[in-house]
Amino acid sequence: MRDDYASHGPILDRILRSIADTDPDAQTFMAYADPRDDDGRSVICANWNRHPDKAVRILERRYGFHVEWSDTVASCADCYGAIRTEPDTYWWRPRYGYSDGEVVCGACLRRSGLRWDDRERWPEILDPARLASVGVSADTLRPSDLAERFARALRDAGRGVLSDAEWSDLEEWERGPRQTCLDKAAWYADAVEWMSDRLSECAPEGYFFGAHPGDGACFGFWPEDAE
């Protein structure tokens, strides 16, 4: 565990050393790997069952850490930032891939010139089973919003499922309605229907894609026996 934070004072130094001494999986990060998650605060992850609640409160409230569980966060092999690898909200979606068995964040993927849908060069970015109980969109039923979010989800979930023709169709839908389109509302409704059908094909065994049974404005992959 890094000692980058010892200069903040003896209390923080003691807490970090205690965590490091009792928890071999504990890690600290200067930031999240994805710039969209970076709010200037550092990240600490550990098995918090091994540590007192008071230490967690001090880390969060006094020193401003993001406190995560060690089995939900990985380190990017390129930039060494923190990557969330498990869902924390209904609309969470993965932003990472793999290189020689090591986790690489989406930002480093883009810098390396790889695309999320480049199946031949990057075939194992995401295990589809990890989509289980993961949301794609929440708090809106506007077809234009749903089309954008469903398209992003298909980029993540469609590898190895969509045909080459369907990838081409997805790119067409992502470009949006043409200037000459007279009924854009109908265009977006058709796009949402097409993408919803394709996402249903991507659902892991035992799961379905659609609105959550308890929230009609929350779309994602849910267990077939969800109530």
Side-chain angles (χ1 to χ4, degrees):
M1 189 168 176
R2 292 163 46 178
D3 288 328
D4 299 342
Y5 307 95
S7 60
H8 284 264
I11 295 177
L12 179 58
D13 186 33
R14 282 201 303 272
I15 293 174
L16 293 182
R17 291 187 183 279
S18 174
I19 293 173
D21 290 342
T22 58
D23 191 342
D25 296 325
Q27 297 183 78
T28 55
F29 303 89
M30 295 302 295
Y32 285 104
D34 195 306
R36 290 171 291 185
D37 296 327
D38 183 16
D39 60 1
R41 295 193 289 159
S42 301
V43 183
I44 183 168
C45 59
N47 179 355
W48 298 110
N49 291 323
R50 300 178 177 177
H51 310 291
D53 293 341
K54 182 178 180 181
V56 176
R57 290 195 297 270
I58 291 175
L59 289 169
E60 286 183 318
R61 299 174 186 177
R62 181 169 180 177
Y63 295 105
F65 279 86
H66 287 287
V67 174
E68 303 277 11
W69 290 83
S70 54
D71 58 356
T72 67
V73 173
S75 174
C76 176
D78 285 354
C79 69
Y80 306 107
I83 302 173
R84 171 165 286 282
T85 57
E86 297 293 334
D88 60 339
T89 65
Y90 280 145
W91 49 91
W92 177 88
R93 65 190 185 92
R95 301 173 186 167
Y96 63 92
Y98 295 93
S99 175
D100 297 327
E102 296 185 299
V103 181
V104 180
C105 72
C108 289
L109 264 182
R110 288 189 292 272
R111 282 194 291 270
S112 67
L114 292 174
R115 300 179 302 173
W116 288 101
D117 60 331
D118 195 336
R119 290 171 287 165
E120 292 183 359
R121 295 175 61 194
W122 204 266
E124 297 178 351
I125 288 178
L126 177 67
D127 176 0
R130 299 183 76 81
L131 291 172
S133 296
V134 172
V136 168
S137 177
D139 301 328
T140 181
L141 290 173
R142 291 180 57 188
S144 58
D145 292 337
L146 294 178
E148 179 181 352
R149 296 175 186 183
F150 284 13
R152 288 201 303 263
L154 265 179
R155 285 289 176 186
D156 287 341
R159 287 175 294 278
V161 179
L162 298 184
S163 66
D164 290 339
E166 287 173 327
W167 281 109
S168 297
D169 290 340
L170 175 59
E171 292 176 352
E172 287 292 330
W173 288 118
E174 286 181 308
R175 294 189 185 101
R178 299 177 183 273
Q179 293 293 330
T180 55
C181 180
L182 298 178
D183 192 344
K184 293 186 178 181
W187 187 96
Y188 279 117
D190 289 343
V192 168
E193 181 178 3
W194 184 89
M195 294 179 195
S196 181
D197 289 343
R198 302 292 80 74
L199 285 166
S200 293
E201 297 171 4
C202 298
E205 184 177 355
Y207 290 77
F208 72 93
F209 175 81
H212 189 277
D215 185 349
C218 185
F219 293 86
F221 295 89
W222 318 114
E224 291 179 349
D225 58 356
E227 297 180 357

